[in-house]
Amino acid sequence: MGAEPLHAVVIVPAMWASPQGRAQRVRWHAAVGDDVDQIAESVARARSSAWRRPATGTWPDWMSEWEIPFAETIDRAKKYVVSSTLSGVDWNAELVRGDLGQAVQRLKQERGDGLFVGGVTLPLALADLGLIDEYEFLVQPVLAGHGPTLLAGLRERIQLELVDRHEFRSGAVAVRYRPTRATA
């Protein structure tokens, strides 16, 4: 089995606030995959509170019917949480410690269904190590005026080639790129 691709997805919780944003994310996530995530500790906490099935087994009343298939997919997906402070994780997760590059290379060799990474800090570290095979961005037609800067501090410029593009009725655009492996 060859190494599986690692996809970088930056997760910005503010995007989740509107039903339109959620619908786009559900459709986009279905298109790019729903198999496994590698996520930073802070993203894991945020996702757990929103997409983890409650102990009662019943999804909360605030969740719309169309959100349930996405929540079920996230709930059952295997998760790898990168943290230097946690001593343990739950919610179908495995704690990743030690050398990040070696750990990700091992996961890419072991997994047969690809990896997705979320957050801001973790994708930066993986990009600097040259471990991201595809970058996926969902561009919303909204200027937030604040928040994290995507890949700020990247050591070298990474040239990308467009692999796929999808426009939504709202004006949002999902784009997927692969590094050309040549830096400029």
Side-chain angles (χ1 to χ4, degrees):
M1 180 184 317
E4 293 301 318
L6 177 64
H7 306 267
V9 179
V10 174
I11 298 177
V12 182
M15 176 182 84
W16 300 357
S18 73
Q20 182 176 334
R22 287 183 182 155
Q24 290 165 351
R25 194 174 78 259
V26 167
R27 181 173 174 189
W28 185 50
H29 198 277
V32 300
D34 58 14
D35 38 24
V36 67
D37 283 317
Q38 179 174 348
I39 52 182
E41 175 186 342
S42 59
V43 175
R45 281 195 302 267
R47 275 199 185 173
S48 177
S49 66
W51 302 114
R52 185 177 194 165
R53 184 183 296 271
T56 63
T58 304
W59 292 104
D61 292 338
W62 61 261
M63 188 175 287
S64 300
E65 190 68 30
W66 57 266
E67 291 177 296
I68 292 174
F70 178 79
E72 288 173 340
T73 297
I74 292 296
D75 185 55
R76 72 176 167 259
K78 174 72 174 178
K79 298 155 195 77
Y80 297 92
V81 178
V82 177
S83 173
S84 60
T85 59
L86 291 177
S87 59
V89 293
D90 61 1
W91 193 35
N92 194 25
E94 180 181 318
L95 187 59
V96 176
R97 290 187 172 265
D99 184 279
L100 180 62
Q102 290 177 3
V104 170
Q105 289 288 20
R106 177 184 56 82
L107 289 171
K108 288 173 71 173
Q109 291 295 326
E110 291 175 1
R111 298 293 310 182
D113 48 8
L115 297 165
F116 287 81
V117 61
V120 176
T121 307
L122 183 57
L124 174 61
L126 295 174
D128 277 338
L129 291 170
L131 292 174
I132 297 178
D133 302 293
E134 291 188 347
Y135 292 84
E136 300 178 14
F137 305 104
L138 180 59
V139 181
Q140 295 280 353
V142 175
L143 298 175
H146 64 280
T149 302
L150 181 62
L151 299 171
L154 192 63
R155 280 187 254 162
E156 294 182 26
R157 178 183 292 210
I158 300 172
Q159 294 296 123
L160 304 173
E161 63 181 335
L162 183 65
V163 174
D164 192 29
R165 178 180 200 277
H166 181 83
E167 292 185 36
F168 296 93
R169 284 191 310 260
S170 68
V173 179
V175 290
R176 188 164 47 108
Y177 294 95
R178 283 192 191 114
T180 62
R181 297 296 176 213
T183 57

